[in-house]
Amino acid sequence: MMEQFKIGHSHLDSELESILILPGGEGPFPSVLLFHEYSGLNTVIIGHARRLAANGYAVLAADFYGLKNRPATLDEAQVTHRIYRNDRLLMRERAAACFDVLKAQPQIDPFCIYALGFSFGGGVALELARSGAGLKGTVSVYGYLDTSHPASVGEIKCPLMAIHVNDDPVVPEEHARMFEAEMRVAEARYELIRLDNAHHGFANPEDNGFDPQLAEDMWGQVRGWMEKQNPGTNAPGF
């Protein structure tokens, strides 16, 4: 039976409260560090986490902003997310603090942790990978592809998959080209999957661009890619 817990932790002067969701059965479980969109830790990201957990993954839905900084409106979210979008080293530090919390959970396999993020969270996941974190793999779904600190050779330790929406006004083509050039220079293992006829936010049921069929297709791609990184995992996919 699935279990859900609040995990209190801190980083710098922020008190954070992330959500840990465990699948049924006995661990240690493969796990996912899940980063939310710019709107913050909400029911959408918890729904993503529960989907993952229902299929065998322990999931930490990371509270990136903190209890006192959770935006009540999208206008507030625009301001809050810019703190980290404009300071990528701070973004990496906050992501690493959340990664440490997940690694410390006794129910998880510390050698099989994936990072997954959507939009803002996809950018966070990629920055964590650029920092050299010991991840099994990193997935970005319509996430930010630009960075102020491009990776050098050998800095990225895990394979990456980025699902990118062509003609995305949030993540422009220029950033996709910059990302591919960066990955080549860094000699990283990566896949950039480009989607036509899609909108930024297609996996978010509360977004005007939500596309349920594209969202299902995306989950299938993520499942297959994660299974490829860890053949023989007990997690059956989602």
Side-chain angles (χ1 to χ4, degrees):
M1 182 176 178
M2 197 183 304
E3 298 179 277
Q4 183 168 320
F5 308 92
K6 294 179 180 178
I7 303 290
H9 55 113
S10 62
H11 176 245
L12 301 177
D13 59 350
S14 295
E15 294 300 320
L16 312 172
E17 189 177 82
S18 297
I19 303 296
L20 177 68
I21 303 179
L22 300 176
E26 297 184 3
F29 302 108
S31 62
V32 177
L33 179 58
L34 182 61
F35 294 114
H36 55 69
E37 299 193 24
Y38 85 106
S39 50
L41 182 60
N42 55 24
T43 56
V44 171
I45 207 71
I46 297 301
H48 292 338
R50 293 185 68 84
R51 177 173 187 144
L52 289 158
N55 289 276
Y57 293 88
V59 184
L60 186 74
D63 175 12
F64 211 78
Y65 297 156
L67 286 169
K68 295 182 179 179
N69 295 300
R70 289 187 177 175
T73 67
L74 293 182
D75 286 341
E76 289 183 10
Q78 286 283 2
V79 173
T80 302
H81 95 285
R82 284 284 174 187
I83 296 170
Y84 304 94
R85 186 169 187 174
N86 293 340
D87 187 343
R88 296 305 178 93
L89 294 183
L90 177 61
M91 180 185 277
R92 292 183 186 189
E93 290 172 7
R94 178 61 55 87
C98 295
F99 184 42
D100 288 343
V101 170
L102 179 55
K103 285 191 294 184
Q105 302 308 310
Q107 304 93 339
I108 68 110
D109 177 355
F111 300 104
C112 190
I113 301 175
Y114 299 89
L116 167 63
F118 295 79
S119 192
F120 169 81
V124 172
L126 291 175
E127 291 293 356
L128 181 61
R130 289 181 177 106
S131 75
L135 294 158
K136 191 73 173 179
T138 297
V139 179
S140 165
V141 182
Y142 48 80
Y144 308 156
L145 298 177
D146 64 316
T147 183
S148 57
H149 291 73
S152 299
V153 174
E155 288 187 326
I156 297 176
K157 309 299 184 185
C158 68
L160 312 177
M161 180 171 73
I163 298 176
H164 174 64
V165 171
N166 287 329
D167 301 317
D168 187 344
V170 179
V171 186
E173 174 61 24
E174 177 188 2
H175 290 180
R177 292 196 297 267
M178 290 167 57
F179 175 77
E180 290 194 287
E182 177 194 4
M183 294 301 104
R184 289 193 293 269
V185 169
E187 298 181 0
R189 296 164 289 163
Y190 81 100
E191 297 177 37
L192 180 66
I193 297 172
R194 293 173 172 271
L195 299 182
D196 292 316
N197 303 312
H199 297 280
H200 191 93
F202 71 80
N204 183 340
E206 296 184 358
D207 193 283
N208 290 335
F210 178 58
D211 186 321
Q213 186 58 59
L214 275 178
E216 285 301 315
D217 292 346
M218 176 276 298
W219 284 113
Q221 288 176 306
V222 172
R223 177 191 68 225
W225 187 86
M226 288 170 63
E227 288 176 348
K228 185 170 67 175
Q229 311 316 313
N230 190 37
T233 180
N234 291 328
F238 29 86

Short mmCIF file of all heavy atoms in Angstrom, two decimals, residues 9 15 38 41-42 51 72 89 100-101 105 117 130 140 149 151-152 161 171 184 192 209 221 230:
data_model
loop_
_atom_site.label_atom_id
_atom_site.label_comp_id
_atom_site.label_asym_id
_atom_site.label_seq_id
_atom_site.Cartn_x
_atom_site.Cartn_y
_atom_site.Cartn_z
N HIS A 9 12.95 19.79 6.10
CA HIS A 9 14.40 19.97 5.97
C HIS A 9 14.65 21.44 5.69
O HIS A 9 13.71 22.24 5.58
CB HIS A 9 14.98 19.06 4.88
CG HIS A 9 14.35 19.19 3.52
ND1 HIS A 9 15.02 19.70 2.42
CD2 HIS A 9 13.13 18.85 3.06
CE1 HIS A 9 14.23 19.67 1.36
NE2 HIS A 9 13.08 19.16 1.71
N GLU A 15 13.02 27.07 5.35
CA GLU A 15 12.47 25.83 5.89
C GLU A 15 11.63 25.19 4.80
O GLU A 15 10.67 25.79 4.30
CB GLU A 15 11.62 26.11 7.13
CG GLU A 15 12.42 26.65 8.30
CD GLU A 15 13.50 25.68 8.77
OE1 GLU A 15 13.24 24.46 8.79
OE2 GLU A 15 14.62 26.15 9.08
N TYR A 38 7.14 26.09 -12.19
CA TYR A 38 7.37 27.36 -11.50
C TYR A 38 6.27 27.69 -10.51
O TYR A 38 6.49 28.46 -9.57
CB TYR A 38 7.54 28.49 -12.52
CG TYR A 38 6.26 29.13 -13.02
CD1 TYR A 38 5.90 30.40 -12.59
CD2 TYR A 38 5.42 28.46 -13.92
CE1 TYR A 38 4.73 31.01 -13.05
CE2 TYR A 38 4.26 29.06 -14.37
CZ TYR A 38 3.92 30.33 -13.94
OH TYR A 38 2.76 30.92 -14.38
N LEU A 41 5.15 23.49 -5.42
CA LEU A 41 4.73 22.15 -5.00
C LEU A 41 3.22 22.15 -4.81
O LEU A 41 2.70 22.76 -3.87
CB LEU A 41 5.45 21.76 -3.71
CG LEU A 41 5.17 20.37 -3.16
CD1 LEU A 41 5.56 19.29 -4.16
CD2 LEU A 41 5.94 20.17 -1.84
N ASN A 42 2.50 21.48 -5.71
CA ASN A 42 1.04 21.53 -5.69
C ASN A 42 0.46 20.18 -6.05
O ASN A 42 1.18 19.17 -6.17
CB ASN A 42 0.55 22.63 -6.65
CG ASN A 42 1.09 22.46 -8.07
OD1 ASN A 42 1.45 21.35 -8.48
ND2 ASN A 42 1.16 23.55 -8.81
N ARG A 51 1.77 8.80 -9.35
CA ARG A 51 1.81 7.92 -10.53
C ARG A 51 3.11 7.12 -10.54
O ARG A 51 3.11 5.90 -10.80
CB ARG A 51 1.69 8.76 -11.80
CG ARG A 51 1.79 7.94 -13.07
CD ARG A 51 1.51 8.76 -14.31
NE ARG A 51 1.45 7.89 -15.48
CZ ARG A 51 0.64 8.08 -16.50
NH1 ARG A 51 -0.20 9.09 -16.52
NH2 ARG A 51 0.67 7.24 -17.54
N ALA A 72 1.05 32.04 -3.85
CA ALA A 72 -0.41 31.90 -3.81
C ALA A 72 -1.03 32.18 -5.17
O ALA A 72 -2.17 31.78 -5.43
CB ALA A 72 -0.99 32.84 -2.76
N LEU A 89 23.72 28.85 -9.72
CA LEU A 89 24.48 28.19 -8.66
C LEU A 89 23.62 27.99 -7.42
O LEU A 89 23.69 26.94 -6.76
CB LEU A 89 25.74 28.98 -8.33
CG LEU A 89 26.79 29.05 -9.45
CD1 LEU A 89 28.03 29.81 -8.98
CD2 LEU A 89 27.17 27.65 -9.95
N ASP A 100 20.19 15.30 -1.23
CA ASP A 100 20.72 14.72 0.01
C ASP A 100 19.61 14.16 0.89
O ASP A 100 19.79 13.12 1.54
CB ASP A 100 21.53 15.77 0.78
CG ASP A 100 22.86 16.10 0.12
OD1 ASP A 100 23.32 15.31 -0.73
OD2 ASP A 100 23.43 17.15 0.46
N VAL A 101 18.48 14.85 0.92
CA VAL A 101 17.35 14.37 1.72
C VAL A 101 16.85 13.02 1.19
O VAL A 101 16.60 12.09 1.96
CB VAL A 101 16.21 15.41 1.73
CG1 VAL A 101 14.94 14.83 2.33
CG2 VAL A 101 16.64 16.64 2.51
N GLN A 105 17.04 8.65 2.90
CA GLN A 105 15.88 7.83 3.26
C GLN A 105 16.26 6.35 3.23
O GLN A 105 16.79 5.87 2.22
CB GLN A 105 14.72 8.11 2.30
CG GLN A 105 14.28 9.56 2.26
CD GLN A 105 14.00 10.13 3.64
OE1 GLN A 105 13.27 9.54 4.44
NE2 GLN A 105 14.60 11.29 3.92
N GLY A 117 12.04 16.54 -13.86
CA GLY A 117 11.41 17.83 -13.62
C GLY A 117 10.65 18.31 -14.83
O GLY A 117 10.92 17.91 -15.96
N ARG A 130 24.35 18.77 -14.20
CA ARG A 130 25.57 19.52 -14.56
C ARG A 130 26.52 19.65 -13.38
O ARG A 130 27.74 19.79 -13.57
CB ARG A 130 25.20 20.91 -15.05
CG ARG A 130 24.53 20.97 -16.42
CD ARG A 130 24.23 22.41 -16.81
NE ARG A 130 23.66 22.54 -18.15
CZ ARG A 130 22.40 22.82 -18.41
NH1 ARG A 130 21.54 23.02 -17.40
NH2 ARG A 130 21.96 22.91 -19.65
N SER A 140 14.25 15.86 -18.29
CA SER A 140 13.63 17.17 -18.31
C SER A 140 12.48 17.15 -19.30
O SER A 140 12.66 16.74 -20.45
CB SER A 140 14.66 18.23 -18.72
OG SER A 140 14.02 19.45 -19.07
N HIS A 149 26.25 28.29 -16.55
CA HIS A 149 27.48 27.55 -16.25
C HIS A 149 27.48 26.23 -17.04
O HIS A 149 27.18 25.16 -16.50
CB HIS A 149 27.57 27.25 -14.74
CG HIS A 149 27.79 28.48 -13.91
ND1 HIS A 149 26.80 29.42 -13.68
CD2 HIS A 149 28.90 28.93 -13.26
CE1 HIS A 149 27.28 30.38 -12.92
NE2 HIS A 149 28.55 30.12 -12.66
N ALA A 151 28.41 22.79 -18.79
CA ALA A 151 29.22 21.68 -18.30
C ALA A 151 30.48 21.50 -19.15
O ALA A 151 30.46 21.73 -20.37
CB ALA A 151 28.41 20.40 -18.31
N SER A 152 31.54 21.11 -18.49
CA SER A 152 32.79 20.76 -19.17
C SER A 152 32.87 19.24 -19.32
O SER A 152 32.05 18.50 -18.77
CB SER A 152 33.99 21.28 -18.37
OG SER A 152 33.94 22.69 -18.26
N MET A 161 17.88 12.83 -20.67
CA MET A 161 16.86 12.91 -21.71
C MET A 161 16.10 14.20 -21.52
O MET A 161 15.60 14.48 -20.43
CB MET A 161 15.89 11.73 -21.67
CG MET A 161 14.83 11.82 -22.78
SD MET A 161 13.78 10.37 -22.99
CE MET A 161 12.74 10.52 -21.55
N VAL A 171 10.91 28.09 -23.85
CA VAL A 171 12.24 27.50 -24.09
C VAL A 171 12.50 27.62 -25.59
O VAL A 171 12.17 26.72 -26.37
CB VAL A 171 12.29 26.03 -23.63
CG1 VAL A 171 13.72 25.49 -23.76
CG2 VAL A 171 11.79 25.88 -22.20
N ARG A 184 27.59 18.23 -26.51
CA ARG A 184 28.68 17.70 -27.34
C ARG A 184 30.03 18.05 -26.74
O ARG A 184 30.93 17.20 -26.66
CB ARG A 184 28.56 18.23 -28.77
CG ARG A 184 27.39 17.65 -29.56
CD ARG A 184 27.51 17.97 -31.04
NE ARG A 184 27.37 19.40 -31.30
CZ ARG A 184 26.21 19.99 -31.58
NH1 ARG A 184 25.10 19.30 -31.62
NH2 ARG A 184 26.17 21.29 -31.83
N LEU A 192 17.83 14.42 -27.04
CA LEU A 192 16.92 15.56 -27.12
C LEU A 192 15.77 15.16 -28.02
O LEU A 192 15.95 14.97 -29.22
CB LEU A 192 17.63 16.80 -27.66
CG LEU A 192 16.76 18.05 -27.77
CD1 LEU A 192 16.32 18.54 -26.40
CD2 LEU A 192 17.51 19.16 -28.51
N GLY A 209 -2.39 24.38 -22.16
CA GLY A 209 -1.78 23.57 -23.21
C GLY A 209 -1.84 22.08 -22.97
O GLY A 209 -1.25 21.30 -23.73
N GLN A 221 7.53 7.28 -22.88
CA GLN A 221 8.93 7.53 -23.24
C GLN A 221 9.82 7.56 -22.01
O GLN A 221 10.92 6.99 -22.00
CB GLN A 221 9.04 8.86 -23.99
CG GLN A 221 8.50 8.84 -25.40
CD GLN A 221 8.55 10.22 -26.03
OE1 GLN A 221 8.05 11.20 -25.49
NE2 GLN A 221 9.18 10.30 -27.20
N ASN A 230 18.37 1.19 -16.25
CA ASN A 230 18.46 0.26 -15.12
C ASN A 230 17.75 -1.04 -15.46
O ASN A 230 16.70 -1.35 -14.89
CB ASN A 230 17.83 0.90 -13.87
CG ASN A 230 18.11 0.09 -12.62
OD1 ASN A 230 19.19 -0.46 -12.45
ND2 ASN A 230 17.15 0.02 -11.72
#
